[in-house]
Amino acid sequence: MSTKRPKTNREEVIECLNTLSKALLKTDELGVSANTIAEKIGIQRSTVSLYLNELVRNGDAIKINTRPVYFLDSKVYQNNKKDLPNVTQYMQVKTVENLQDPFYELVGSEGSLKNVVDQIKSAVIYPPRGLSTLLVGESGVGKSFIAHLAYKFAQQKGLVTGKWVVLNCAEYADNPELLSSILFGNVKGAFTGAERDRDGLLKAAEDGYLFLDEVHRLNPENQEKLFQYMDKGTYRRVGETDRIQKSNARLIFATTEKQNTDFLQTFLRRIPLVIQIPDFQERTRKERIDLITMLFLKESQTIQRNLRIASEIVQILIQNVNKGNVGKLASIIKLTCAEALLRSNANATNIEIKLDSLPNDFLNTTNIQNLSVTKDYGIHIHFQSGHIKSRNTIERDQLYQFTNAVIQKVLQVGMKQITDQQFYNKIGDVENKIIDYLSFELRKTKPTAFSEYVEQTLKSILSNLYLNIGISQFNSSANLLTKLVIYVNDYEDDQEIADLSEAILILKQKFPDEIQLTDRIVSAIRNQFEVRNASLYQVLVFSFIYSQNRKMIDRENNAVIITHGYSTAESLASTVNRLLGSYVYESFDMPLDANVDDIIREIKAYFKTIDIEKPLIILVDMGSLKDLDQRLKKIYQGPIAIISGVATEIALDIGNKIIQNNINETALEQSAKDAAPKITTVQATQRENVILTTCITGIGAATYLQKLIQDNTHGKITVISKDFYELKKNGLKDPVFNKYHVQIIIGTDDPDIPDVPYLSVEGLINRDIGDSVFMTAFPNDFTADSLTRMNQSIVRAFTVDNIAHNMAALNPTVTVQQVEGCVTKLERSLGTKMDVYLKISLYMHLCFMFERVVQKEPNLDYHNVEKFTQCYKRFIEITEDALSDMQHYYSVKIPVSEIGFIYDILKNRVDLSTIE
């Protein structure tokens, strides 16, 4: 007797939310709190909150961001809106709030573009008719889109009632007179063809906005006319001398290059606000993923298909879209979806977006090296609901998991379940995980203007707090704290965090000094950029400060690591300090072209925060820092030791001696001697270069391919065969790849093995495809003549006669006629004409299939044969009819699993949608 599986906590939460949501119908309640559900099902509130927020992100629950926060089952709400009047009213208000700010739809409006948005809003509301603004950025960064959002913002503020008028100056750059007429208008007879008075775009944009794109293409005369309008609000139409026109149209300009020599300086001086729009690679990684996701969502809704975008696709787009920026990205994604749609089954609702879906011209110029195989950047999009699962949601979840871990430790120490020392150890463990995640899990990006600004802000704060917390603006802590703050800023949202307020209260009671310092940092952060949940910053910044501060111990020596390159010294110092369990080293990262003067300038400021009479140990990466010791001697009062060739081993050794206060000149010399480079050589394992054959139709066909290629390479190249489905399942983990160096895979279907070229049967026959593959894999074994002879032999071998003669059990003459008849009958029933390559694949399959069945060999396992039988009944009927003569002749019954293999051969080559 089977026992019923107990429900998981997640299932309990979902069921309870559904039940309690239904109980609220025809009441004025807004929803159900996490606390109510926790008490109802008897599990921790923090666990309930975690699952509820997951449901909200997946669209299965609605979140009412009041105090307290309420939740509601999405389906219950959608089906009973009239019976939940207060919830409906709240949702309408939230929708209006979101609509009130057009910049809400701009990815990065609260991140890397926040300063851009703030400046544009300031320009829009400036009386009496806004400030003329020039948007500068590379082609495709979104200048036109941002300019139009400025117009919509002005509309919603009631500042404009007129039209949004656009002119691309580049379209008329070769005809400045026509451009002048279009822009300012003309009077009758002003030029040939001017048969009547005509108003220009300045008049058309009255009470609205005129957007001039590619404004640097205006000639000097038109620039002069335009800055007269900007000065006085007046202008003259072309050919007009006796009248002056007026307009109150607001102006926004866009250009790809502010310093373009085509600009008159007098024109640029009339534009009070010049805003630089960052390009795609300057945006934060989160924003780039958001942009990619948004564009795929748009295409998903256009083609009415769910999309599963492979991790490699996202990584390639993040790293390789340079020229063209967001505009180019949108074009690539549209073409990618079109290609994937073309290759998919007409009835498929889910489409896989893989590497081969990318446009060839983009893929051919793209670096696909260094793609992460351990991190999943894949995106899943449901086109009807708009539900999205991506790397960003994973990283947001990780942020709140870290936060919850810190909160749980705070609650434990507050209830005296753990001692203060245990609390310190546990907080240190959590903080180490956070630091590892920030340093290694999150993909490293080049420092942006935003990250550098945050780091400088934090360094300024830390310089004032150094004596209190021992974390200076010079050591690696400043960089790590910057990473933490940016991570929180990127991924925080307005979700409720269970027990957060209680945790803050405990921290204020038990750790007043640390929380006071934390508050000073968070307060400074809030003054610099938007913070949604200050308490979230408080608990994470406290965790960071508390774990670092306890490691700061006064030493008898000062120690510094100086290296060239971005984050090199910081990373090394951070790693060694972690291993030592104490802060021993400060770090200085210098540009590659930095000289001694640059280093002295940086280190002088550091000397102001330390006791300069103590011995100073400096580890440097290069011994070429000439005169550094003599220069330092003039500004440092204690003894100085400089050791070149810094590495982890010597830094650890010296660090241990510093901690033990067992450091002197002899000890340093011994450390340098012990750290001398040691050489270990490892001989490469020699694996034989081979060609691997595989076939979706079974090992018999693969063996035929193996023999065919072996014979035509005269034994110079080893050829092995492998079961297709086993190979596809195992991938690179298959033992064959440990034993051999597989240079080419040849078969009837691609098993998708990364980094191993695949050659289809068609490619084997078609020299335009096959020759280059063979020459690349075996350049010393093939020549043009040998490839010609091999191709001729292979083409002859792939006739149905030759295939049949390679069978052991069947009569070749009879089999040839029967197989050709089956294929012809199949063509007629399917209403299609198969190409010669497809017929070859079918000939191979049918010949070896009947030989297996006649000899009563075990049937090949077909994946999910039950589903195939249920979904493709008509195809099975057509195929059984086509094979009926051969089945009757040999008195055998072809199993459905074998018909499944026939379907797999045909599905991507023939339109089968009409028969199902």
Side-chain angles (χ1 to χ4, degrees):
M1 181 177 177
S2 62
T3 58
K4 190 175 181 181
R5 177 181 66 84
K7 293 177 183 176
T8 63
N9 285 344
R10 186 178 186 278
E11 291 169 340
E12 291 270 17
V13 170
I14 293 172
E15 184 178 294
C16 187
L17 176 65
N18 180 270
T19 302
L20 294 179
S21 296
K22 290 177 180 177
L24 297 180
L25 297 179
K26 297 183 179 180
T27 71
D28 293 331
E29 298 294 326
L30 280 172
V32 184
S33 71
N35 196 50
T36 300
I37 295 177
E39 291 176 355
K40 191 80 174 176
I41 61 179
I43 64 175
Q44 284 191 352
R45 179 187 170 194
S46 58
T47 304
V48 173
S49 183
L50 187 68
Y51 289 130
L52 287 174
N53 283 301
E54 178 191 335
L55 293 173
V56 171
R57 288 191 293 275
N58 293 337
D60 297 321
I62 294 170
K63 187 174 187 177
I64 314 295
N65 282 306
T66 55
R67 286 293 178 265
V69 174
Y70 292 111
F71 297 87
L72 200 66
D73 185 287
S74 288
K75 289 183 179 178
V76 172
Y77 170 68
Q78 293 296 335
N79 296 331
N80 302 276
K81 289 184 180 181
K82 292 181 179 179
D83 294 331
L84 293 163
N86 283 0
V87 178
T88 301
Q89 183 181 0
Y90 172 86
M91 297 299 289
Q92 290 171 345
V93 169
K94 289 300 291 182
T95 301
V96 170
E97 286 177 356
N98 289 340
L99 291 175
Q100 281 177 348
D101 188 352
F103 288 99
Y104 180 81
E105 60 185 292
L106 177 64
V107 173
S109 60
E110 295 297 334
S112 65
L113 296 182
K114 187 178 188 306
N115 191 44
V116 170
V117 172
D118 289 345
Q119 290 183 77
I120 290 175
K121 287 181 176 180
S122 299
V124 168
I125 65 174
Y126 198 85
R129 54 190 179 94
L131 298 176
S132 297
T133 303
L134 175 63
L135 304 180
V136 182
E138 295 181 10
S139 176
V141 296
K143 300 186 294 294
S144 301
F145 180 63
I146 291 172
H148 192 236
L149 290 179
Y151 167 70
K152 291 167 71 174
F153 177 73
Q155 272 189 317
Q156 295 207 348
K157 290 294 182 182
L159 299 173
V160 298
T161 56
K163 296 179 180 178
W164 168 253
V165 180
V166 178
L167 174 65
N168 189 323
C169 301
E171 295 179 8
Y172 303 96
D174 295 333
N175 193 338
E177 289 185 359
L178 177 59
L179 177 56
S180 184
S181 171
I182 292 171
L183 187 55
F184 301 101
N186 61 267
V187 297
K188 182 178 179 180
F191 51 81
T192 303
E195 299 176 353
R196 60 181 178 84
D197 288 356
R198 179 178 176 181
D199 290 329
L201 296 183
L202 272 176
K203 181 63 71 173
E206 196 161 30
D207 296 320
Y209 265 93
L210 174 60
F211 174 55
L212 297 182
D213 201 4
E214 304 289 348
V215 68
H216 60 274
R217 302 300 296 274
L218 282 177
N219 70 341
E221 182 182 352
N222 281 325
Q223 289 185 47
E224 290 175 354
K225 289 182 179 180
L226 204 53
F227 72 63
Q228 178 185 332
Y229 169 74
M230 287 189 281
D231 280 347
K232 302 178 180 179
T234 63
Y235 63 95
R236 282 190 171 91
R237 295 179 294 185
V238 176
E240 192 167 48
T241 57
D242 56 340
R243 293 182 60 191
I244 292 178
Q245 304 294 326
K246 292 185 178 182
S247 175
N248 62 359
R250 296 167 173 239
L251 298 176
I252 298 185
F253 310 105
T255 181
T256 53
E257 185 56 63
K258 177 187 173 184
Q259 302 301 325
N260 195 295
T261 55
D262 294 327
F263 279 128
L264 296 175
Q265 289 304 308
T266 49
F267 176 71
L268 287 177
R269 283 200 296 270
R270 260 77 175 186
I271 304 174
L273 190 58
V274 178
I275 301 175
Q276 182 74 41
I277 311 297
D279 63 32
F280 182 70
Q281 290 301 329
E282 291 175 326
R283 306 286 288 273
T284 67
R285 185 176 59 84
K286 174 184 178 294
E287 289 173 9
R288 279 178 279 166
I289 294 177
D290 282 345
L291 282 166
I292 291 167
T293 304
M294 179 192 71
L295 292 170
F296 270 117
L297 173 61
K298 180 181 177 183
E299 297 306 322
S300 173
Q301 292 171 340
T302 298
I303 65 178
Q304 298 284 287
R305 298 288 194 281
N306 302 327
L307 300 181
R308 295 176 65 90
I309 301 101
S311 176
E312 312 89 77
I313 293 282
V314 179
Q315 292 183 70
I316 286 172
L317 293 177
I318 287 174
Q319 299 172 23
N320 292 280
V321 174
N322 296 306
K323 293 182 179 179
N325 291 289
V326 181
K328 178 66 174 178
L329 176 67
S331 175
I332 291 171
I333 288 175
K334 184 180 287 291
L335 291 173
T336 298
C337 291
E339 178 66 20
L341 181 64
L342 180 65
R343 294 185 179 193
S344 69
N345 188 301
N347 295 326
T349 57
N350 300 305
I351 293 181
E352 302 279 343
I353 308 290
K354 298 182 179 179
L355 274 180
D356 58 3
S357 305
L358 287 169
N360 286 332
D361 59 341
F362 172 68
L363 203 53
N364 291 338
T365 58
T366 292
N367 176 21
I368 60 173
Q369 304 298 319
N370 302 320
L371 298 183
S372 173
V373 296
T374 59
K375 300 177 189 175
D376 182 13
Y377 288 87
I379 302 172
H380 300 168
I381 297 175
H382 191 277
F383 77 91
Q384 289 180 321
S385 65
H387 292 174
I388 296 168
K389 182 179 180 182
S390 71
R391 180 75 182 176
N392 278 351
T393 61
I394 294 169
E395 290 172 352
R396 182 175 290 109
D397 290 346
Q398 186 63 66
L399 169 65
Y400 287 99
Q401 286 174 22
F402 284 140
T403 305
N404 186 60
V406 174
I407 289 172
Q408 294 307 311
K409 305 300 179 286
V410 173
L411 294 178
Q412 287 175 354
V413 77
M415 292 183 285
K416 298 184 178 180
Q417 295 176 351
I418 57 176
T419 65
D420 287 358
Q421 182 60 46
Q422 288 173 324
F423 174 69
Y424 167 68
N425 293 337
K426 289 178 179 293
I427 285 293
D429 291 341
V430 174
E431 196 58 41
N432 284 340
K433 290 177 182 177
I434 295 175
I435 291 172
D436 285 346
Y437 184 76
L438 296 176
S439 301
F440 307 116
E441 288 295 312
L442 285 175
R443 191 178 71 86
K444 292 185 179 180
T445 57
K446 293 181 180 178
T448 63
F450 178 66
S451 66
E452 289 177 351
Y453 170 71
V454 173
E455 184 166 2
Q456 289 305 315
T457 299
L458 293 174
K459 281 185 174 182
S460 176
I461 299 167
L462 293 174
S463 66
N464 296 323
L465 302 181
Y466 175 71
L467 295 177
N468 292 5
I469 62 175
I471 303 177
S472 84
Q473 71 269 37
F474 302 104
N475 64 32
S476 57
S477 298
N479 183 272
L480 290 172
L481 186 56
T482 299
K483 290 179 180 178
L484 175 63
V485 170
I486 291 177
Y487 176 48
V488 178
N489 186 258
D490 276 349
Y491 293 102
E492 69 162 330
D493 56 21
D494 53 5
Q495 67 177 272
E496 180 188 27
I497 304 174
D499 303 316
L500 179 58
S501 299
E502 185 179 350
I504 296 295
L505 187 61
I506 292 171
L507 292 177
K508 288 181 178 179
Q509 292 171 346
K510 284 193 67 68
F511 309 100
D513 293 339
E514 287 87 349
I515 203 68
Q516 184 180 6
L517 297 173
T518 297
D519 287 345
R520 290 175 66 181
I521 292 178
V522 173
S523 177
I525 292 170
R526 294 180 74 175
N527 290 335
Q528 301 301 325
F529 47 85
E530 182 176 348
V531 169
R532 292 187 182 184
N533 189 342
S535 296
L536 172 62
Y537 284 82
Q538 279 181 299
V539 76
L540 290 174
V541 171
F542 165 83
S543 169
F544 180 85
I545 287 176
Y546 185 70
S547 64
Q548 308 300 315
N549 187 29
R550 290 286 294 271
K551 296 177 183 178
M552 299 298 296
I553 301 172
D554 190 34
R555 306 287 179 205
E556 293 299 321
N557 300 270
N558 298 315
V560 173
I561 295 176
I562 303 174
T563 65
H564 295 76
Y566 172 69
S567 226
T568 309
E570 179 271 320
S571 179
L572 179 57
S574 176
T575 300
V576 173
N577 288 339
R578 274 278 296 279
L579 292 171
L580 294 171
S582 181
Y583 273 93
V584 173
Y585 293 103
E586 306 286 5
S587 61
F588 292 87
D589 289 298
M590 305 301 297
L592 292 173
D593 57 353
N595 54 34
V596 174
D597 289 335
D598 298 322
I599 295 174
I600 294 294
R601 194 179 305 113
E602 282 286 319
I603 211 165
K604 267 185 177 180
Y606 162 63
F607 285 168
K608 293 178 182 179
T609 68
I610 62 174
D611 182 351
I612 60 173
E613 293 183 353
K614 290 182 177 182
L616 172 65
I617 300 168
I618 302 177
L619 305 185
V620 298
D621 59 344
M622 300 181 187
S624 60
L625 298 176
K626 188 177 179 182
D627 299 330
L628 178 60
D629 54 342
Q630 296 302 315
R631 298 283 298 278
L632 288 176
K633 187 176 180 180
K634 296 177 182 179
I635 58 175
Y636 194 83
Q637 297 176 12
I640 301 171
I642 300 175
I643 303 171
S644 62
V646 61
T648 306
E649 183 179 1
I650 191 171
L652 269 174
D653 187 37
I654 293 175
N656 268 317
K657 292 174 180 176
I658 290 174
I659 290 174
Q660 297 164 9
N661 289 325
N662 183 25
I663 197 83
N664 52 43
E665 189 172 349
T666 303
L668 290 174
E669 289 175 352
Q670 186 61 45
S671 293
K673 182 179 179 181
D674 293 342
K678 303 171 184 64
I679 300 175
T680 302
T681 59
V682 179
Q683 298 299 325
T685 303
Q686 295 298 320
R687 291 179 296 164
E688 185 180 6
N689 292 334
V690 301
I691 295 174
L692 188 151
T693 62
T694 188
C695 189
I696 199 172
T697 60
I699 198 67
T703 304
Y704 176 67
L705 282 174
Q706 175 189 12
K707 183 176 183 302
L708 178 63
I709 298 166
Q710 190 87 57
D711 291 346
N712 282 280
T713 55
H714 308 293
K716 290 193 296 183
I717 300 172
T718 300
V719 185
I720 58 176
S721 60
K722 185 77 180 177
D723 178 76
F724 174 82
Y725 288 100
E726 185 180 352
L727 186 64
K728 189 173 180 68
K729 176 184 176 182
N730 295 338
L732 285 173
K733 295 180 181 179
D734 194 280
V736 72
F737 295 106
N738 290 327
K739 186 175 181 181
Y740 299 104
H741 187 198
V742 179
Q743 296 284 67
I744 309 173
I745 296 175
I746 300 176
T748 55
D749 200 6
D750 189 354
D752 293 321
I753 304 299
D755 302 323
V756 182
Y758 166 73
L759 188 62
S760 65
V761 172
E762 297 95 304
L764 187 61
I765 298 172
N766 186 340
R767 293 194 63 188
D768 291 339
I769 300 173
D771 281 11
S772 62
V773 176
F774 282 115
M775 286 297 291
T776 301
F778 299 96
N780 299 323
D781 296 310
F782 288 107
T783 63
D785 289 341
S786 67
L787 285 171
T788 299
R789 291 192 297 272
M790 185 176 81
N791 181 262
Q792 291 171 347
S793 176
I794 287 174
V795 169
R796 286 194 300 271
F798 271 120
T799 63
V800 69
D801 291 328
N802 274 305
I803 293 171
H805 275 87
N806 276 273
M807 296 184 300
L810 304 185
N811 184 320
T813 305
V814 175
T815 304
V816 165
Q817 296 176 346
Q818 291 172 331
V819 167
E820 287 180 331
C822 287
V823 173
T824 301
K825 198 170 181 179
L826 200 56
E827 281 182 313
R828 291 172 182 168
S829 299
L830 295 175
T832 187
K833 191 71 176 174
M834 300 180 193
D835 61 50
V836 63
Y837 303 122
L838 180 54
K839 285 185 178 180
I840 288 171
S841 295
L842 275 178
Y843 290 157
M844 288 178 60
H845 178 70
L846 293 176
C847 285
F848 293 112
M849 177 190 75
F850 270 98
E851 185 169 56
R852 282 197 313 273
V853 174
V854 169
Q855 291 182 306
K856 297 182 179 180
E857 294 180 8
N859 294 330
L860 298 177
D861 291 330
Y862 184 74
H863 55 94
N864 209 336
V865 68
E866 294 81 7
K867 184 177 179 181
F868 175 75
T869 305
Q870 182 181 358
C871 297
Y872 301 102
K873 293 179 181 178
R874 179 61 181 149
F875 179 82
I876 294 170
E877 292 173 0
I878 289 173
T879 307
E880 285 179 335
D881 180 62
L883 302 177
S884 59
D885 290 344
M886 288 190 74
Q887 291 186 95
H888 179 72
Y889 182 85
Y890 291 110
S891 300
V892 294
K893 173 68 175 175
I894 299 299
V896 173
S897 59
E898 292 287 357
I899 297 176
F901 291 117
I902 296 174
Y903 177 83
D904 285 349
I905 293 171
L906 297 176
K907 66 181 179 182
N908 293 323
R909 306 283 297 279
V910 174
D911 183 8
L912 301 176
S913 60
T914 57
I915 65 170
E916 294 299 333

